[in-house]
Amino acid sequence: MAVDLETLPRFGLVHRIDKNTTGLLVLAKTELAMRNLAKQFFDHTVDRKYMALVWGDVEQDEGTIVAHVGRNQRFRKLFEAYPEGDHGKEAITHYKVLERLGYVTLVECILETGRTHQIRVHMKHIGHPLFNDDFYGGDRIVKGTVYAKYKQFIDNCFNICSRQAFAC
């Protein structure tokens, strides 16, 4: 039996998230839905809130990070923050501290723009990489003591949460 590809319903991926990140993908079931959803993302009328566990005690209760995000000049798989805007594209992240947990802080991030690895790059830029983020330096002890029991505790946490602590 032949299948007429022209009559099959069309759906598509409208929005995705970083690999190893917990969250939602946005898929459209029809061409019209895909166009409308894509326009909402383009017009920035969609709110994107994320929660991230970051290393260290974030000093300000809330703030805004403005720094262009672009590919690292030496390592093309990595992205870098360029606060002077000399490379990459404009990126704006608003954050708010939800809970301080000693050596780590739970923050809410709201994106005004949507660049690849934006939250991961911005949080590293202000000195607070995401907990267990192996791309941006959060996969080792950044804050805390050097005692063996603490290191063992952190290693156990890394094993339990085997990806960056980041969700939308």
Side-chain angles (χ1 to χ4, degrees):
M1 178 176 183
V3 176
D4 182 8
L5 295 178
E6 296 295 321
T7 61
L8 287 177
R10 168 100 164 74
F11 73 94
L13 181 64
V14 178
H15 182 264
R16 64 181 177 82
I17 53 179
D18 291 347
K19 180 181 175 184
N20 296 328
T21 300
T22 301
L24 301 173
L25 301 176
V26 178
L27 297 169
K29 288 177 70 174
T30 66
E31 189 74 39
L32 178 61
M34 190 168 166
R35 275 196 307 269
N36 288 336
L37 287 166
K39 183 170 180 357
Q40 290 175 47
F41 278 95
F42 181 80
D43 292 341
H44 302 288
T45 58
V46 175
D47 289 332
R48 289 166 290 159
K49 288 185 182 180
Y50 300 84
M51 288 190 336
L53 188 64
V54 300
W55 278 104
D57 184 4
V58 178
E59 290 182 21
Q60 296 179 344
D61 289 338
E62 55 187 54
T64 299
I65 305 164
V66 179
H68 283 210
V69 171
R71 290 199 182 274
N72 181 292
Q73 299 296 312
R74 293 181 62 208
F75 304 105
R76 303 294 294 157
K77 287 178 86 173
L78 295 176
F79 287 79
E80 196 73 42
Y82 296 94
E84 303 302 320
D86 53 343
H87 186 67
K89 294 181 180 177
E90 179 183 52
I92 302 169
T93 304
H94 305 281
Y95 68 89
K96 180 170 85 173
V97 170
L98 298 177
E99 189 170 355
R100 297 180 198 300
L101 302 164
Y103 297 126
V104 294
T105 303
L106 182 64
V107 294
E108 175 185 76
C109 297
I110 299 174
L111 298 181
E112 195 170 310
T113 55
R115 306 293 175 226
T116 303
H117 297 185
Q118 179 174 323
I119 293 171
R120 297 164 71 187
V121 169
H122 273 175
M123 295 313 290
K124 177 188 175 199
H125 175 65
I126 65 168
H128 299 283
L130 272 62
F131 186 85
N132 206 14
D133 186 350
D134 62 346
F135 255 48
Y136 296 102
D139 61 336
R140 61 187 181 279
I141 295 175
V142 177
K143 303 287 182 189
T145 68
V146 293
Y147 296 113
K149 285 192 177 202
Y150 178 69
K151 182 177 179 349
Q152 184 179 13
F153 171 74
I154 294 300
D155 287 341
N156 288 339
C157 290
F158 285 165
N159 288 332
I160 291 168
C161 179
S162 58
R163 57 179 174 72
Q164 66 266 8
F166 178 43
C168 63

